[in-house]
Amino acid sequence: MPRRITYKILLFYIVLGVAFLCETNGQTTTINSGWQFSEDKTTWQTVNIPHTWNQDDAFDDEPGYRRGLGYYQKQVFISSDAKENSHYLKFNAVNQEATVFINGQEIGNHKGGYTAFNFNISEFINYDAYNVIEVTVDNSHNVDIPPLDADFTFYGGIYRDVELITLPKQHFSLEDFASDGFYINYPRVSEEQAQIEVTAILNNMASIKEKTELQFTLLDAEGRIVNSHTEKLKLQAERSEEFKIQLPEVKSPKLWSPENPYLYQLKLVLQDKDGKILDSKTTNIGFRWVSVDPDKGFYLNGKPIKLIGVNRHQDYEGYGNAVPIALQKKDIELIKDMGSNVIRFAHYPHARELYDLCDQLGILVWTEIPVINIVTDSEAYFETSTNMQKEHIKQYYNFPSVVMFGYMNEIFIRLVFNNKLTDQERQDLKKASVKLATQLEDVTRELAPNHITVMAGHLNDVYNETGIADLPMIFGWNLYFGWYDKDIPDLGIFLDEQHKHYPKRSMLLSEYGPGADVRIFTKTPKKFDFSTDYQAKLHQSYYKQITERPYMTGMTAWNYADFGSEFRGDAIPHVNQKGLVQYNRTPKDIYYWYKSVLNDEQPFVHIATDFLKGLTLFEDDSYAIQIVSNQEEGIVYLNGKKQADVRFENGVVTVEMPFINGINHIKLVSETISEEKTVKVLKLDALDFKNFKRFGINIGAHFYFNDEERDITFAPDQAYKNGWYGYLDGTPYGMTTDKNQGLPHDIKNSTSEPLFQTLLEGCTAYKVDIPDGNYKVDLFFVEPQIKSIENIYNLSNRKEDSNQKKRVIDVLINNNAIEKQFNLAIAYPQKYGVTLTSEVEIKNDKGLTISLQPIEGRPVISGVLIEKIN
């Protein structure tokens, strides 16, 4: 943790020690270390960039997270040797508004938290002295800065690199929306020839004209010179000028694609009349062209390609959005290894280094700005949004992997779910949204020719009614059939209807997927239960439905990784768990399934039992497991005996396993590869506590829950069965055919949400048939009616009772009272997970009976854990 400093300010003097020689082309220095940070300008701490002040409070039990001001300071020494040069201070991203000062003078303000910006600081510098850089950062809600509202956390801070850039008077412009100062276009690309056109913006900050040469050298992937070109230019004094230059044609170019991401390198060198280098740039060149057809889908280099990949958010467990770039690069490598050929950087521009990696690995990119959920009908909001898109396009334009520029996501979702809006307000909001979308579409088409424009909407006909869905070249549907809406097969029905009614519109499935917690598994996966089994069921069906429809351009799963969303009350609070990998990037089983159908470079098999921990089976029960593979067939063995000949369809096969008590060995053998896994199973003929000491039941739930907090897996609930366990009355709280979570809320003082979130209501008697002896019994409770923060993303037909009723009960075990007048709402005024513990002696073969005697209201209970003492 950073060291806190209680006196007013401590500034670390970082001496850059830059001595500029006339034959060099300047210097870029990353100044990430040794910043001072304060929330109040009184108490300071030393931090390094990237930094956010929300990495902890966005995940605690208190609702909300700090949105406000943060103050950064740093001193840098600049030598007088650099006095004749131009100096820029560049911030690669600050969330969300930054005001920058040099030596006490304000030099500029930037709005928007996901694009780079820079300022020319030459006139503010003190040479041969330390210069104080101060940055005031504000991540407060601001109605004029998107995003206004979204299902992710808006972490505050300077979370990407800060650079001090020093250049000669003549250089590539840094002032065209913080771009590289040049843009690569491809007027003609085919298998026979390719043409490169460079638009260069050159600055001459000197007071006299200067003769220069701009040299271009194109290298192939092996570093050999393909061609070169020199352009003689006369730069006017104190001006920034734009030059368009056609480079020699490339014969028989090697085309860039996901299968063969062949990259050329173009070097641009600006020299003075004496041949001394003033400035230089290098960029990837990937020869490719794209198009889209509403009936046949997406085309790359004239050939159809089904786009299948993921969305990605940039945050990471333990870091918030201040993630080391090495970790972020591993994301892209994992995405490519899964077999993805496309990535949607959602819902904002990500670090430029990742786009470069997409160039190298061969991943097509949809990149977008965060105009999400709702717009503000103000001149300031429109201006900020437009500037944001200009920055976005100009800063990310030259990456060959970037084929789609987007600008809106689910822009009507707040309108749809806000019942307080008047009809007039709804109409005004629709008009404003379409107006802004039209402006952004026009800007994108103007600035990004030869790219595809995109936006995404949610399941509502308002996108069709307003005509907004027909603005972009591809409209993305964010569809959650089988999760928030209807059932899994309804996806194809909806898409077919849309294609029929809007035959000229190209579509992409831009978001889909259920939440999934690797601690939850079940024999009976149900909608909205957060089980990994339901995640497999939905994804496998969606893939089949999309690949069967040639008119669909593709699909991008939501999401590559679990990500922070502070207000969520999912199985892991403050985290959206729809990821194919966990928040710490450990793959879930579904990641391996995608690899089985997308990556055929080498034989692959995965037995999906990594998270099958603490499985309990009774009598002759078996348990079905999935095996995923890119092979056609194989043989499954269990404990050395052949279990089944299997044939993989859609990359998967499901096999019933008659596990034995103890360690079970599973093996899959195919013609080219084999895989082995072990699973530890507790196989019971009775609840006799002979070969186990603890037994837990997840009351009100149909799934197993591996509770890391208590180091036990709770078994699913059931109606009472003689000789076993179960409820004699009561119904699962909050459960419907569409929703099987119970309570979509954070349970305070616990990390075991799936234990507490499911509960029985109206249960007055619960029996567990255990033998005589002494036991410790833990009973788990939570009050379900305490109101929580609204979550528009977890809608259901059930509404919380605003007129909360009292719930008072007596809790007895075998007729012995362990808690009288038990009132959760009074004793625990927030959603606390409560444990009542008692030692119980069982005698006369009576077993264990839990009685919940109602005094007022209906009893509730979430679970029971029984431990044999002797």
Side-chain angles (χ1 to χ4, degrees):
M1 294 296 292
R3 182 165 56 92
R4 292 199 171 272
I5 302 165
T6 55
Y7 47 92
K8 189 172 183 180
I9 299 177
L10 177 62
L11 294 174
F12 278 66
Y13 299 147
I14 308 287
V15 181
L16 297 182
V18 180
F20 293 93
L21 303 178
C22 61
E23 63 265 28
T24 67
N25 62 340
Q27 180 166 331
T28 297
T29 305
T30 302
I31 52 172
N32 284 348
S33 299
W35 287 76
Q36 300 301 301
F37 171 72
S38 176
E39 294 182 355
D40 56 11
K41 289 190 174 183
T42 299
T43 301
W44 295 81
Q45 63 182 102
T46 303
V47 301
N48 294 328
I49 306 301
H51 175 261
T52 176
W53 60 74
N54 296 123
Q55 74 271 16
D56 296 323
D57 72 332
F59 300 94
D60 60 25
D61 278 342
E62 297 304 314
Y65 58 102
R66 184 177 180 273
R67 299 192 66 182
L69 297 174
Y71 304 93
Y72 294 84
Q73 292 188 353
K74 182 178 178 63
Q75 289 203 7
V76 295
F77 182 89
I78 300 179
S79 168
S80 60
D81 293 342
K83 195 169 186 177
E84 297 304 314
N85 295 79
S86 298
H87 303 274
Y88 294 86
L89 187 61
K90 181 177 182 180
F91 296 85
N92 282 280
V94 179
N95 200 31
Q96 66 179 353
E97 181 175 6
T99 306
V100 182
F101 304 82
I102 301 292
N103 298 323
Q105 299 183 67
E106 182 177 336
I107 63 168
N109 173 272
H110 181 264
K111 295 177 174 63
Y114 304 96
T115 46
F117 58 96
N118 54 44
F119 300 111
N120 188 331
I121 62 173
S122 303
E123 64 180 280
F124 302 97
I125 288 174
N126 297 324
Y127 292 98
D128 289 333
Y130 290 97
N131 292 265
V132 180
I133 302 171
E134 299 173 279
V135 187
T136 299
V137 181
D138 191 353
N139 74 329
S140 302
H141 178 74
N142 187 325
V143 296
D144 291 325
I145 304 176
L148 303 178
D149 173 79
D151 186 17
F152 58 93
T153 301
F154 305 156
Y155 306 93
I158 304 175
Y159 70 94
R160 291 185 194 154
D161 290 349
V162 183
E163 299 168 356
L164 184 62
I165 303 171
T166 303
L167 293 169
K169 295 292 186 183
Q170 296 79 37
H171 54 264
F172 289 94
S173 175
L174 279 75
E175 296 166 357
D176 188 34
F177 293 92
S179 71
D180 291 328
F182 69 95
Y183 305 98
I184 304 298
N185 280 300
Y186 304 90
R188 293 184 301 279
V189 180
S190 69
E191 294 181 355
E192 291 75 32
Q193 62 181 12
Q195 180 79 55
I196 299 174
E197 180 185 81
V198 180
T199 301
I201 304 174
L202 301 177
N203 284 359
N204 179 16
M205 311 300 289
S207 57
I208 59 174
K209 298 178 182 179
E210 292 288 347
K211 292 182 179 180
T212 62
E213 289 186 349
L214 186 53
Q215 296 182 348
F216 302 90
T217 305
L218 183 66
L219 306 173
D220 65 16
E222 289 71 40
R224 297 182 295 247
I225 296 176
V226 176
N227 59 42
S228 60
H229 176 75
T230 300
E231 195 86 7
K232 295 183 181 297
L233 303 170
K234 182 179 289 186
L235 304 184
Q236 301 299 313
E238 298 179 338
R239 286 182 61 182
S240 179
E241 298 179 81
E242 183 178 291
F243 302 90
K244 285 187 184 294
I245 299 132
Q246 296 275 346
L247 302 188
E249 285 187 349
V250 177
K251 302 297 184 181
S252 301
K254 294 183 179 179
L255 301 181
W256 183 95
S257 69
E259 296 75 25
N260 182 31
Y262 192 92
L263 290 176
Y264 296 81
Q265 292 290 317
L266 180 64
K267 293 187 176 181
L268 303 83
V269 178
L270 182 66
Q271 297 182 162
D272 68 10
K273 61 184 178 181
D274 298 320
K276 294 180 181 179
I277 296 175
L278 299 168
D279 199 1
S280 64
K281 301 284 185 178
T282 302
T283 189
N284 295 332
I285 296 293
F287 293 117
R288 53 97 182 122
W289 72 96
V290 295
S291 61
V292 64
D293 184 280
D295 291 317
K296 299 177 181 179
F298 199 90
Y299 281 75
L300 174 66
N301 302 331
K303 299 176 182 178
I305 176 175
K306 185 74 79 172
L307 302 180
I308 301 176
V310 297
N311 291 262
R312 176 190 183 263
H313 269 300
Q314 66 185 358
D315 61 328
Y316 198 110
E317 185 177 45
Y319 294 95
N321 62 350
V323 186
I325 197 63
L327 284 180
Q328 298 196 56
K329 286 182 176 180
K330 288 182 180 178
D331 277 359
I332 308 304
E333 291 166 356
L334 274 170
I335 290 168
K336 179 64 177 182
D337 188 57
M338 191 184 85
S340 297
N341 60 18
V342 66
I343 183 171
R344 179 187 180 201
F345 284 119
H347 288 298
Y348 40 78
H350 292 217
R352 279 167 50 93
E353 293 91 337
L354 306 186
Y355 295 69
D356 180 70
L357 192 52
C358 288
D359 287 352
Q360 297 173 40
L361 296 179
I363 304 176
L364 296 160
V365 170
W366 165 346
T367 182
E368 64 190 15
I369 58 171
V371 179
I372 308 173
N373 291 12
I374 192 170
V375 306
T376 301
D377 189 9
S378 71
E379 182 179 346
Y381 183 92
F382 275 49
E383 181 181 356
T384 301
S385 300
T386 303
N387 283 339
M388 195 178 288
Q389 183 69 334
K390 290 178 179 179
E391 290 175 331
H392 173 218
I393 293 171
K394 288 175 177 288
Q395 292 171 23
Y396 294 82
Y397 189 83
N398 292 333
F399 294 104
S401 56
V402 175
V403 295
M404 291 177 275
F405 278 111
Y407 50 82
M408 273 186 178
N409 181 74
E410 297 185 351
I411 203 61
F412 291 128
I413 195 167
R414 274 294 176 186
L415 178 147
V416 170
F417 292 117
N418 187 349
N419 296 324
K420 297 179 181 178
L421 293 176
T422 66
D423 289 342
Q424 186 60 51
E425 287 172 331
R426 289 178 182 280
Q427 293 305 314
D428 292 344
L429 190 52
K430 289 177 184 179
K431 290 179 182 177
S433 301
V434 173
K435 179 182 177 182
L436 178 59
T438 302
Q439 290 184 15
L440 293 174
E441 177 73 18
D442 291 345
V443 166
T444 306
R445 294 211 185 197
E446 176 188 354
L447 297 181
N450 306 316
H451 292 77
I452 305 294
T453 60
V454 287
M455 76 160 68
H458 74 291
L459 181 64
N460 195 280
D461 204 46
V462 65
Y463 298 94
N464 296 322
E465 293 171 0
T466 59
I468 201 171
D470 291 316
L471 291 175
M473 299 163 74
I474 295 178
F475 186 75
W477 282 108
N478 299 344
L479 301 174
Y480 292 89
F481 290 106
W483 190 245
Y484 299 125
D485 304 291
K486 299 184 179 180
D487 297 312
I488 294 172
D490 289 298
L491 170 70
I493 296 170
F494 173 82
L495 293 174
D496 289 343
E497 289 176 348
Q498 291 297 307
H499 183 57
K500 178 181 177 181
H501 291 117
Y502 305 95
K504 296 182 180 181
R505 181 189 300 166
S506 293
M507 295 186 294
L508 188 145
L509 180 61
S510 42
E511 290 183 24
Y512 64 96
D517 188 326
V518 298
R519 301 172 300 172
I520 296 175
F521 53 95
T522 178
K523 298 173 72 171
T524 56
K526 297 180 181 181
K527 186 177 178 180
F528 223 97
D529 65 5
F530 286 86
S531 70
T532 54
D533 308 87
Y534 191 79
Q535 185 181 41
K537 179 180 179 180
L538 187 145
H539 278 274
Q540 289 163 10
S541 176
Y542 268 50
Y543 173 80
K544 194 170 185 295
Q545 292 182 69
I546 294 299
T547 54
E548 289 174 346
R549 288 168 168 79
Y551 64 82
M552 289 299 296
T553 59
M555 58 196 299
T556 49
W558 189 263
N559 194 281
Y560 156 67
D562 294 348
F563 60 91
S565 184
E566 193 276 340
F567 65 87
R568 274 190 172 266
D570 291 355
I572 298 178
H574 320 300
V575 175
N576 187 316
Q577 289 181 262
K578 295 186 180 69
L580 309 183
V581 303
Q582 298 176 63
Y583 204 9
N584 64 5
R585 273 42 177 188
T586 301
K588 302 177 186 179
D589 288 326
I590 195 62
Y591 170 90
Y592 296 109
W593 173 77
Y594 272 105
K595 185 173 181 178
S596 76
V597 294
L598 299 180
N599 189 340
D600 58 3
E601 290 186 0
Q602 57 187 4
F604 173 75
V605 65
H606 172 72
I607 301 171
T609 57
D610 290 351
F611 304 106
L612 202 63
K613 299 177 181 178
L615 177 62
T616 301
L617 296 175
F618 306 112
E619 298 177 305
D620 296 327
D621 280 356
S622 62
Y623 196 90
I625 67 164
Q626 284 201 338
I627 303 173
V628 300
S629 179
N630 58 8
Q631 302 299 287
E632 290 186 2
E633 55 189 16
I635 304 173
V636 178
Y637 296 87
L638 177 62
N639 299 322
K641 297 180 181 180
K642 181 178 177 180
Q643 186 65 28
D645 292 301
V646 296
R647 186 169 186 83
F648 293 95
E649 295 184 11
N650 200 28
V652 65
V653 67
T654 301
V655 183
E656 283 287 341
M657 291 292 187
F659 290 125
I660 62 173
N661 186 62
I663 302 297
N664 289 261
H665 298 269
I666 307 168
K667 185 176 183 179
L668 183 283
V669 178
S670 73
E671 185 177 349
T672 57
I673 192 173
S674 65
E675 167 84 349
E676 295 185 53
K677 289 285 180 67
T678 60
V679 178
K680 187 176 182 180
V681 176
L682 180 61
K683 193 73 174 285
L684 301 177
D685 294 323
L687 292 176
D688 53 17
F689 283 82
K690 288 182 178 179
N691 59 346
F692 64 97
K693 288 189 174 182
R694 303 165 75 219
F695 183 72
I697 306 165
N698 194 7
I699 295 178
H702 66 280
F703 54 76
Y704 292 89
F705 167 58
N706 178 235
D707 188 355
E708 297 167 350
E709 186 176 332
R710 294 168 183 82
D711 191 27
I712 191 171
T713 296
F714 286 83
D717 201 7
Q718 61 183 19
Y720 174 70
K721 294 181 181 179
N722 186 40
W724 295 102
Y725 67 89
Y727 53 87
L728 278 71
D729 54 4
T731 55
Y733 181 88
M735 300 293 192
T736 67
T737 55
D738 291 328
K739 188 168 176 293
N740 289 277
Q741 184 187 16
L743 292 175
H745 306 303
D746 175 15
I747 306 300
K748 294 198 172 188
N749 81 318
S750 176
T751 59
S752 303
E753 266 73 12
L755 172 62
F756 289 100
Q757 287 173 334
T758 52
L759 57 159
L760 279 180
E761 185 177 39
C763 175
T764 62
Y766 200 100
K767 291 193 67 175
V768 186
D769 291 340
I770 56 178
D772 291 354
N774 294 315
Y775 299 87
K776 186 180 82 166
V777 178
D778 293 332
L779 304 179
F780 304 103
F781 301 88
V782 68
E783 172 52 59
Q785 286 185 275
I786 296 175
K787 292 183 69 62
S788 297
I789 297 173
E790 174 201 17
N791 180 357
I792 66 168
Y793 300 94
N794 279 1
L795 293 178
S796 69
N797 293 325
R798 180 181 63 82
K799 303 294 183 181
E800 286 198 72
D801 186 356
S802 59
N803 299 314
Q804 184 177 314
K805 303 176 179 66
K806 287 185 178 180
R807 192 189 311 275
V808 183
I809 60 175
D810 288 341
V811 182
L812 299 88
I813 295 181
N814 290 0
N815 295 321
N816 294 316
I818 64 170
E819 191 80 15
K820 299 285 287 184
Q821 299 284 315
F822 188 38
N823 188 328
L824 283 165
I826 290 178
Y828 305 93
Q830 300 185 60
K831 274 193 167 57
Y832 279 97
V834 179
T835 304
L836 298 182
T837 301
S838 180
E839 290 191 4
V840 178
E841 182 182 5
I842 305 296
K843 297 185 296 185
N844 302 321
D845 295 325
K846 290 184 177 180
L848 179 74
T849 299
I850 302 164
S851 300
L852 306 174
Q853 297 180 355
I855 298 171
E856 291 187 63
R858 305 182 69 200
V860 292
I861 185 169
S862 291
V864 57
L865 175 60
I866 304 166
E867 181 176 354
K868 183 74 178 292
I869 298 175
N870 53 48

